[in-house]
Amino acid sequence: FTSHDNPHISKAALSDITNDMTALAYRMEIMAEDVNEAPGALWTRAIIEAGRVTKHPDFARVVVAVDPSATSGGDEAGIITAGATRTDFYPIADDSLQGSPLAWATAAVTAYYRHKADLLVAESNNGGEMVELTIHTVDPAVRVKLIHASRGKATRAEPVSALYQQGRGHHVGSFPALEDELCLWIPGDASPNRLDAMVWAATELIQNDSVLTSQPDPFD
């Protein structure tokens, strides 16, 4: 039943709760609709499923991307590992967690070594240089690149979505929490952490491997 049918919630309280909700959140949380894909989302279940694989080829590069959280009780820290070939992008692990800065830094460094990554990319908007310091507290040998988000989230996410639409984005296995975020996020809403981390990973790989920004040569 919907929240409107709940006798334990006053109409005044319900009005306060719903004031700041997006239309999608209202449908899911208040109207109790089972929504697994949002109209206007940059990813669809069908596109993700079409590109899904069970194993990946050898990679040209591998990066771990972190969308950090500042406190243990706040949002989850997004931690996504991805690799790229000459033409395609492959998320291979989701180690996102809710925990202290030391907890997410440890998880990110562990992923860095587990997947033999070339670089750990971290957003610096939430914490600045403290993000790099926290990571290097765990292991000073890890290569860290801080990225400051100066463009809007949709502007950063659209080229990554385009890779998937071109059939060049491949999830190696299944990542339900990440895929929920991809298919339920609407540009303009606050973006969730796994999505942000995956976009940072893809952006790093795209920027450093120009072939990913164009269609593959059919005669290659």
Side-chain angles (χ1 to χ4, degrees), residues 36-217:
N36 73 352
E37 197 170 278
L42 295 180
W43 283 264
T44 67
R45 304 282 178 180
I47 285 176
I48 292 173
E49 198 59 45
R52 195 184 308 281
V53 296
T54 56
K55 61 181 181 179
H56 61 77
D58 292 338
F59 291 138
R61 296 186 67 218
V62 175
V63 301
V64 177
V66 181
D67 182 59
S69 60
T71 63
S72 59
D75 293 335
E76 283 187 309
I79 305 171
I80 301 295
T81 304
T85 63
R86 286 188 62 250
T87 57
D88 290 29
F89 170 71
Y90 295 79
I92 59 175
D94 178 1
D95 293 290
S96 305
L97 55 80
Q98 184 178 48
S100 66
L102 184 59
W104 59 251
T106 300
V109 169
T110 300
Y112 176 91
Y113 284 112
R114 181 192 306 129
H115 300 287
K116 299 180 174 59
D118 305 287
L119 186 68
L120 198 159
V121 180
E123 182 179 330
S124 64
N125 291 52
N126 190 11
E129 293 180 359
M130 288 297 293
V131 172
E132 183 174 6
L133 178 61
T134 303
I135 294 168
H136 280 158
T137 298
V138 177
D139 189 331
V142 171
R143 291 186 61 220
V144 177
K145 178 178 179 179
L146 296 182
I147 298 180
H148 182 80
S150 58
R151 298 182 300 160
K153 294 179 186 294
T155 302
R156 297 197 308 271
E158 283 168 357
V160 184
S161 169
L163 282 178
Y164 283 74
Q165 293 170 24
Q166 294 164 5
R168 295 190 286 149
H170 309 278
H171 290 191
V172 184
S174 179
F175 306 108
L178 170 63
E179 291 165 17
D180 282 349
E181 292 186 3
L182 296 177
C183 296
L184 291 171
W185 179 67
I186 301 172
D189 291 346
S191 58
N193 304 79
R194 288 175 172 83
L195 183 153
D196 270 351
M198 193 197 80
V199 166
W200 285 126
T203 301
E204 172 63 24
L205 293 168
I206 291 168
Q207 287 177 341
N208 287 276
D209 194 345
S210 60
V211 73
L212 288 179
T213 65
S214 62
Q215 290 288 352
D217 184 350

